[in-house]
Amino acid sequence: MKELRHRFSSGFFITMALALLIFGSKNPPVVNGFRAGVADVFVPVLDMASRPFSVADGFLKWTQKLAIVFSENERLRAENSQLKRAQIKNSQLAIDNQRLKKLLNVGEGSVNTVAAARVVSDSGSPFFKSTLINRGTSDGVQKGQAVINEDGIVGRTITVGNSSSRVLLATDINSRIPVKLASSGINMILEGDNSPYPKLSFLPIGEKVAIGDLILTSGYGMVFPHDLPVGQVVEIGSESIKIKLSAKLYNLNYVSIVEYEITRSPVAVKKNIDLKKGGE
Amino acid sequence: MASVEVKAERGLRGTLPFISTLVLVLLMLLQYRLFFLDNIFPFLSLIGVYYWSIFKPHLIPVSLVFMLGVLQDILSGGPLGMTALLLILVRIFVVRQGSRFLEREFLFNWLVFIFVAVVFGLLNWIIASLYIREAQNLWNIFGQIMLTIAIFPGIAWGLSWVRYLLVKESR
């Protein structure tokens, strides 16, 4: 009798696991809601558990910085005087740029930082690259927002709970981010492939990319603001061009969730509406 | 003697196998900030389920193994049900072998674990590849299996210490 009960119990839970695997693969809202709810409960635990690693990492970085403080000071002084000269030049260019944009009625993108969050977990799997952060809908975070850190892009939110969110990293196989070549402005797509080095796709025929070329976000897709650092070309193979991301996705501490929208001048919006009405 | 042992395993103390495996699940999800570990982190939850299925299977029933697997799937962002299914299969395999496991030495358990870890890793790779609809890098899973096998003695030693707490209380 006990053996029979045991077999029934095993069979029942195997069926349940298979049902979850098949039903959950389509990411229905019920499953996503359930995932977000459970994550909300466990994120504070993971947050507490991850703090010692964060402290240890901070201490290691601090000692590294301390070792090079004098040479770093000299380098920064030289860089500072260079930047001061560049600043004067840039402010003149910014005025020119603004004047020309007004003339052309170019839409300005506005970037709002929704929240700053702490990364509390890793996927622990080579096949699914995502991470949990300790901010959710109660902090204004929504699904599909860009996640960045001081080095560059990190990913975008895919599941949002009340006090936690899951971020799909730029290295995940399901990640697609519109990017451009900094030098020429050629638009491409950054495709994750679960390796630490995502690949570039949709490079126009005839266009060339060199190792070391800088990649920035293009702003298309309305998720990532334009001109954010993405990474550098590190490998040009026959089948793919590999990118080393600026942000170290294996060593994330704090990230920002940003919202990006294009705002046009009221005159331009009115003109667009008039044009549409005329067309009808 | 046996009834005293069972009595001691009731209540909160009896949850030690579940809690220790839960800790292993959570340890799998922390960020260790090491580049080389990112893609080959060992299957710690597999070690927990394997160990307790040998020594205290009645304290880690299929329902709890299912819960642990689902929790890992949720928190890792992987396919819901994948780890739950694989961990249940491991438990069934170990329990089916009966008490013969207990009669052998640690080295024998480790050798059986090598077989279990390889099958577990390959099934993990197959399900993940089917889920993503693209064959995934086999080297990553190979690295994960190797690291899991290598770390097994250390984790098993830690779990034997937890088991000692259970046995000590029953004396």
Side-chain angles (χ1 to χ4, degrees):
Chain A
M1 191 66 190
K2 200 179 169 186
E3 175 69 16
L4 195 73
R5 207 177 63 190
H6 177 72
R7 280 193 179 186
F8 173 77
S9 161
S10 300
F12 173 75
F13 284 107
I14 285 175
T15 313
M16 281 279 285
L18 281 169
L20 279 175
L21 202 54
I22 296 160
F23 181 66
S25 66
K26 290 180 177 105
N27 284 321
V30 182
V31 172
N32 283 342
F34 178 59
R35 273 181 187 269
V38 175
D40 277 350
V41 175
F42 279 89
V43 156
V45 181
L46 288 166
D47 193 7
M48 284 297 287
S50 67
R51 278 185 193 266
F53 296 99
S54 180
V55 171
D57 187 57
F59 180 73
L60 197 73
K61 278 181 183 158
W62 180 75
T63 49
Q64 280 169 348
K65 278 179 191 167
L66 206 66
I68 55 160
V69 72
F70 289 109
S71 57
E72 186 71 357
N73 192 30
E74 284 301 309
R75 193 186 63 79
L76 288 172
R77 274 173 194 277
E79 197 177 88
N80 193 31
S81 61
Q82 260 183 345
L83 288 173
K84 272 181 182 167
R85 283 196 294 274
Q87 194 188 14
I88 296 163
K89 204 175 172 183
N90 284 345
S91 58
Q92 285 168 349
L93 288 171
I95 293 162
D96 278 354
N97 195 22
Q98 214 170 14
R99 191 172 52 80
L100 290 167
K101 272 184 177 173
K102 263 186 189 171
L103 280 171
L104 292 167
N105 243 332
V106 173
E108 279 290 324
S110 67
V111 183
N112 305 317
T113 303
V114 178
R118 231 176 78 80
V119 174
V120 297
S121 88
D122 196 13
S123 65
S125 163
F127 310 130
F128 308 98
K129 298 289 172 193
S130 65
T131 189
L132 280 170
I133 55 171
N134 65 348
R135 291 285 180 269
T137 48
S138 58
D139 307 286
V141 181
Q142 286 171 12
K143 190 181 168 183
Q145 284 175 331
V147 180
I148 60 172
N149 75 356
E150 68 276 17
D151 296 321
I153 61 155
V154 171
R156 65 185 162 86
T157 54
I158 49 165
T159 315
V160 183
N162 189 41
S163 58
S164 69
S165 307
R166 177 161 295 283
V167 178
L168 185 80
L169 298 176
T171 47
D172 188 272
I173 200 154
N174 291 312
S175 170
R176 302 283 182 279
I177 298 167
V179 294
K180 66 181 180 190
L181 208 60
S183 55
S184 59
I186 299 164
N187 290 309
M188 287 169 285
I189 298 289
L190 183 78
E191 246 179 65
D193 58 359
N194 284 347
S195 80
Y197 305 106
K199 58 186 182 188
L200 282 179
S201 55
F202 298 108
L203 177 73
I205 298 163
E207 298 291 350
K208 293 220 166 133
V209 177
I211 288 176
D213 276 354
L214 278 175
I215 307 294
L216 304 173
T217 51
S218 64
Y220 290 128
M222 302 297 294
V223 175
F224 288 90
H226 59 83
D227 295 336
L228 286 177
V230 173
Q232 268 185 310
V233 177
V234 284
E235 188 190 312
I236 302 171
S238 54
E239 286 177 8
S240 61
I241 301 163
K242 291 279 192 178
I243 303 298
K244 186 186 180 192
L245 295 172
S246 307
K248 289 175 184 163
L249 300 190
Y250 62 90
N251 189 2
L252 294 169
N253 199 0
Y254 288 95
V255 292
S256 298
I257 301 104
V258 294
E259 194 179 38
Y260 177 55
E261 55 183 358
I262 300 275
T263 48
R264 289 179 187 274
S265 68
V267 180
V269 172
K270 195 176 176 297
K271 266 185 190 172
N272 273 340
I273 293 166
D274 289 345
L275 276 171
K276 274 182 189 169
K277 275 182 184 170
E280 282 164 8
Chain B
M1 184 67 192
S3 63
V4 177
E5 194 167 323
V6 170
K7 204 176 170 185
E9 285 171 359
R10 279 184 197 148
L12 280 178
R13 214 165 278 123
T15 62
L16 277 174
F18 172 72
I19 290 169
S20 57
T21 315
L22 178 66
V23 169
L24 290 174
V25 168
L26 297 178
L27 282 175
M28 273 188 83
L29 300 165
L30 295 180
Q31 255 208 343
Y32 293 92
R33 301 162 196 278
L34 297 168
F35 180 74
F36 73 93
L37 260 187
D38 201 34
N39 269 338
I40 54 164
F41 201 79
F43 301 114
L44 298 183
S45 53
L46 166 68
I47 301 175
V49 170
Y50 177 80
Y51 184 89
W52 291 117
S53 300
I54 292 173
F55 294 106
K56 298 280 173 192
H58 57 287
L59 292 181
I60 190 143
V62 182
S63 53
L64 288 185
V65 173
F66 175 79
M67 268 175 63
L68 287 163
V70 168
L71 182 71
Q72 188 178 322
D73 290 333
I74 288 172
L75 297 178
S76 70
L80 201 59
M82 182 177 79
T83 313
L85 177 69
L86 295 178
L87 290 178
I88 290 172
L89 291 177
V90 168
R91 189 193 180 277
I92 291 171
F93 170 77
V94 175
V95 172
R96 280 273 168 92
Q97 309 311 308
S99 55
R100 271 176 297 172
F101 262 82
L102 291 166
E103 293 161 11
R104 314 279 181 132
E105 291 173 347
F106 169 77
L107 198 65
F108 175 76
N109 282 342
W110 196 11
L111 284 172
V112 176
F113 181 75
I114 291 172
F115 167 75
V116 171
V118 169
V119 175
F120 184 91
L122 287 176
L123 284 175
N124 198 303
W125 178 80
I126 291 167
I127 295 174
S129 297
L130 285 172
Y131 191 85
I132 299 169
R133 294 189 188 119
E134 194 180 313
Q136 293 300 293
N137 190 344
L138 251 176
W139 286 109
N140 286 334
I141 209 75
F142 180 71
Q144 266 192 302
I145 292 168
M146 287 294 120
L147 217 55
T148 309
I149 293 167
I151 208 171
F152 178 77
I155 304 286
W157 178 81
L159 293 176
S160 68
W161 183 75
V162 176
R163 188 163 65 99
Y164 174 72
L165 284 179
L166 272 168
V167 177
K168 197 179 136 191
E169 289 302 325
S170 64
R171 277 177 188 156

